[in-house]
Amino acid sequence: MLKVLIPTIMLFPTIWLTSPKWLWTTTTAHSLLIALISLTWLKWTSETGWTSLNTYMATDPLSTPLLVLTCWLLPLMILASQNHINPEPISRQRLYITLLASLQTFLIMAFGATEIIMFYIMFEATLIPTLIIITRWGNQTERLNAGTYFLFYTLAGSLPLLVALLLLQQSTGTLSMLVLQYSQPLQLNSWGHMIWWAGCLIAFLVKMPLYGVHLWLPKAHVEAPVAGSMVLAAVLLKLGGYGMMRMMIMLDPLSKELAYPFIILALWGIIMTGSICLRQTDLKSLIAYSSVSHMGLVAGGILIQTPWGFSGAIILMIAHGLVSSALFCLANTAYERTHSRTMILARGLQVIFPLTAVWWFIANLANLALPPLPNLMGELMIITTLFNWSPWTILLTGLGTLITAGYSLYMFLMSQRGPTPNHITGLQPFHTREHLLMALHLVPVLLLVTKPELMWGWCY
Amino acid sequence: MADYKAASLATRPKTLDPAEYFNLSPEYRRAEEKRAALRAQLKRQYLQQLNNPHRKELIEDPALTRWTYARTNNNYFRPTAKTSLIGGLFGVLPLFVLYVVFKSDRDKRDAKIKAGTYERPYKLST
């Protein structure tokens, strides 16, 4: 753990002490090295359970894929931000990369935590750099509204979690996940216990987001600059999923009865947010709502609490993280050229940017869960386990898959196909940096087809 | 010159052929001439921007800006009887319907499992 954490903390001196000419090169190279070191976590020394050298930070098959995803994303975020931050003065550029690096540190500590209270503190800590990135570097006036929604939705959900964790500490004497996984099932039979159950989960459901409390997500994703959108879609949503998976272990047997409203909200949310996607004019808003749709499937899979559900949830989280981040990068390339997120403005791009059309194609195919990509594998596992839970869910999940294919195709056809309008033929061609960014996003997705065991969690 | 085609959905500008206007009032004719002059100015501005060889950015279309603003910042929603009915029908009722469906299905299965009569129809995994 320290072999990644110390280089990440040393990223701060790197940012502030390199000369301005070498700032972006050095930080990208440094973060890429951290990402490569993090790949060593994938070698599990113990068959099941935790790999750790101390009792405070450990990795296990659930947190390792998410940790590798987090570390992989930092160089990609720095690559993506290079263009739009360049005009600013040097200290502000350094500040921006510092915020990204601090987000990285908090996320590594969150995913690697064994004490749930440390996970909670890091969960809250990630809000601050993200808020600063959205409200300071966003491009429209709505960014202030977006920051407010983001902050207060997440805080309102997570304050009950703090109370619930303190109560848990009082009753069991420990909050270490290493210990709690072996504890006796708790006697949960009163209204107070039900409220405690809800308090444990609501924070993560808001973060995922669940359909009823998802309103912060489209605002935050649309108004954030590209690095903010990338980290939000790829990793911060997965914090919610990861937290839910950790807490579910202790929450039986109440979950059998109390999970129904949330499963129903998640499943209905897939269809509702998918349908909203079909009516969007704003490209980033479409990708944001598609994130809500996919996360609804993940939430449903986790709340079912079966091995297939958990495996499917992890696979879909990793695959969705990479693909959603790739789509936001593509949307940003269109935004940097036209300074508008309107879909019908930047249409017919295949004729002028043919190689980028390939990236759009692969990213959209991955989004609509094309076999053999891991997106499909995760979705299929969750759909199967939901079918096992109750056969009626196949109506909702099947319709959801259909609508997902519909809006992914809509996004692709609207942006790439059709006659190229006259007024955009003068746009700048694509930089090598942007092609590299897309390749670094999509090649891991293709590689994960060959070794999905890395993502299966405990059920490998 | 870039190829300029008239927009297929726009109304065609009226000509100023006096023969078409002999039965109309002079005020109307003057208003039509002013409108034609404005249209010609706008067309000239657009064509100048379109054919400028040093242009690197987009030509701004104010109609598109207005349209996106209206579509995204929609303060046009008003809760009326019809919209509340639609909202309740698609947003609230399905949640309760689904709860009833899933709960009854799961309770039936639970009763069968407790009685020992549940046979698994599919072998899903080892």
Side-chain angles (χ1 to χ4, degrees):
Chain A
M1 176 62 64
L2 271 184
K3 64 177 177 277
V4 172
L5 208 48
I6 290 193
T8 314
I9 295 179
M10 293 313 282
L11 200 48
F12 294 107
T14 310
I15 297 168
W16 287 96
L17 296 176
T18 38
S19 70
K21 206 159 59 110
W22 290 99
L23 174 65
W24 291 92
T25 322
T26 326
T27 46
T28 315
H30 189 150
S31 43
L32 206 52
L33 280 174
I34 298 177
L36 290 175
I37 297 177
S38 75
L39 287 175
T40 61
W41 273 327
L42 287 170
K43 183 174 188 322
W44 295 321
T45 49
S46 62
E47 261 301 315
T48 58
W50 303 82
T51 310
S52 72
L53 287 177
N54 59 34
T55 52
Y56 303 113
M57 304 204 75
T59 64
D60 82 326
L62 170 55
S63 53
T64 311
L66 291 165
L67 276 165
V68 176
L69 179 66
T70 312
C71 295
W72 184 247
L73 215 68
L74 185 60
L76 267 49
M77 286 195 278
I78 299 180
L79 265 179
S81 319
Q82 228 174 327
N83 196 10
H84 75 92
I85 297 287
N86 230 351
E88 304 203 9
I90 276 294
S91 50
R92 224 174 285 166
Q93 295 186 20
R94 293 193 209 263
L95 184 61
Y96 190 75
I97 313 180
T98 309
L99 285 169
L100 297 179
S102 61
L103 203 55
Q104 174 87 335
T105 324
F106 293 143
L107 283 167
I108 296 179
M109 291 208 276
F111 283 125
T114 53
E115 298 272 343
I116 306 185
I117 200 76
M118 172 148 150
F119 173 70
Y120 174 79
I121 296 177
M122 292 303 141
F123 180 82
E124 298 296 305
T126 57
L127 291 181
I128 310 225
T130 319
L131 181 71
I132 300 179
I133 292 178
I134 296 177
T135 50
R136 171 61 183 81
W137 273 280
N139 283 313
Q140 274 77 37
T141 50
E142 287 86 14
R143 69 184 190 270
L144 304 170
N145 203 10
T148 314
Y149 265 72
F150 169 65
L151 190 68
F152 285 106
Y153 263 72
T154 321
L155 277 182
S158 57
L159 284 180
L161 176 62
L162 182 60
V163 177
L165 287 179
L166 293 174
L167 279 174
L168 189 59
Q169 161 85 6
Q170 281 282 37
S171 68
T172 60
T174 177
L175 274 181
S176 171
M177 294 185 221
L178 304 168
V179 174
L180 279 176
Q181 57 183 342
Y182 297 118
S183 62
Q184 302 288 353
L186 303 163
Q187 293 289 353
L188 302 169
N189 40 26
S190 73
W191 284 102
H193 287 134
M194 290 196 208
I195 299 181
W196 174 80
W197 183 93
C200 282
L201 281 186
I202 296 237
F204 304 119
L205 289 171
V206 168
K207 195 82 177 173
M208 278 220 70
L210 189 66
Y211 172 56
V213 289
H214 69 290
L215 211 48
W216 63 271
L217 187 135
K219 292 188 201 289
H221 274 78
V222 167
E223 302 304 330
V226 64
S229 289
M230 286 167 74
V231 76
L232 264 172
V235 187
L236 290 178
L237 300 188
K238 297 12 179 201
L239 265 181
Y242 174 75
M244 260 168 68
M245 284 201 245
R246 290 292 185 209
M247 299 295 281
M248 279 303 217
I249 308 172
M250 315 167 302
L251 293 177
D252 264 331
L254 256 188
S255 307
K256 206 148 101 56
E257 303 301 318
L258 289 183
Y260 278 92
F262 301 112
I263 301 178
I264 292 169
L265 271 174
L267 289 177
W268 190 240
I270 302 175
I271 299 183
M272 292 298 274
T273 48
S275 318
I276 294 180
C277 278
L278 288 168
R279 294 286 296 165
Q280 289 298 319
T281 52
D282 183 335
L283 185 55
K284 278 178 91 164
S285 192
L286 197 154
I287 307 173
Y289 274 108
S290 99
S291 278
V292 181
S293 182
H294 288 285
M295 285 297 118
L297 211 49
V298 172
I302 298 178
L303 287 164
I304 303 282
Q305 305 169 75
T306 58
W308 273 39
F310 271 38
S311 286
I314 309 175
I315 299 176
L316 190 52
M317 286 204 290
I318 304 292
H320 170 263
L322 286 167
V323 170
S324 204
S325 183
L327 282 171
F328 274 116
C329 289
L330 283 170
N332 182 54
T333 60
Y335 181 78
E336 280 180 1
R337 284 167 177 75
T338 60
H339 291 289
S340 161
R341 291 190 291 264
T342 317
M343 282 179 70
I344 60 175
L345 187 63
R347 65 183 190 276
L349 294 176
Q350 185 168 6
V351 180
I352 36 181
F353 301 133
L355 183 52
T356 315
V358 175
W359 299 128
W360 273 101
F361 190 48
I362 300 180
N364 276 310
L365 286 180
N367 202 19
L368 64 86
L370 186 80
L373 298 174
N375 303 68
L376 177 78
M377 297 306 144
E379 281 195 16
L380 209 53
M381 289 177 90
I382 297 181
I383 293 179
T384 315
T385 185
L386 277 171
F387 180 69
N388 188 24
W389 182 77
S390 167
W392 296 97
T393 55
I394 198 79
L395 296 171
L396 296 172
T397 48
L399 189 60
T401 317
L402 209 60
I403 299 180
T404 307
Y407 67 68
S408 295
L409 215 51
Y410 170 64
M411 193 186 351
F412 177 66
L413 293 177
M414 182 60 92
S415 60
Q416 303 303 115
R417 298 288 164 89
T420 311
N422 276 336
H423 54 83
I424 64 170
T425 50
L427 292 180
Q428 261 188 26
F430 258 65
H431 308 278
T432 315
R433 172 186 63 87
E434 292 167 338
H435 284 304
L436 176 66
L437 189 61
M438 294 313 303
L440 286 178
H441 270 113
L442 295 175
V443 164
V445 177
L446 295 172
L447 286 179
L448 277 172
V449 175
T450 59
K451 195 168 172 64
E453 296 97 53
L454 298 172
M455 295 188 293
W456 280 349
W458 304 294
C459 310
Y460 166 43
Chain B
M1 282 270 286
D3 289 334
Y4 172 70
K5 291 187 283 294
S8 49
L9 294 175
T11 53
R12 305 193 65 106
K14 305 194 206 23
T15 60
L16 287 176
D17 182 5
E20 288 188 10
Y21 285 88
F22 76 97
N23 58 340
L24 296 169
S25 62
E27 293 82 23
Y28 186 85
R29 262 187 270 165
R30 242 172 284 136
E32 279 302 315
E33 283 163 22
K34 277 210 196 78
R35 280 186 216 128
L38 275 170
R39 274 196 304 269
Q41 267 177 354
L42 284 170
K43 181 168 169 180
R44 180 187 168 82
Q45 182 192 20
Y46 179 75
L47 283 176
Q48 268 180 334
Q49 282 177 300
L50 188 68
N51 294 310
N52 177 9
H54 299 296
R55 172 179 67 90
K56 279 205 297 270
E57 65 281 332
L58 280 186
I59 302 177
E60 195 213 331
D61 182 3
L64 187 64
T65 321
R66 285 195 301 265
W67 180 78
T68 37
Y69 184 78
R71 280 282 293 235
T72 53
N73 306 32
N74 58 339
N75 308 317
Y76 306 121
F77 175 74
R78 230 179 337 129
T80 64
K82 177 173 162 201
T83 58
S84 311
L85 182 68
I86 295 180
L89 210 58
F90 282 96
V92 180
L93 189 65
L95 303 177
F96 291 105
V97 165
L98 286 172
Y99 180 77
V100 167
V101 165
F102 290 148
K103 195 90 170 63
S104 50
D105 184 48
R106 294 283 297 171
D107 285 342
K108 262 192 285 195
R109 189 186 297 194
D110 268 344
K112 271 209 221 144
I113 292 180
K114 284 209 173 78
T117 59
Y118 181 63
E119 46 171 79
R120 297 188 172 276
Y122 319 102
K123 267 198 166 56
L124 276 184
S125 68
T126 55

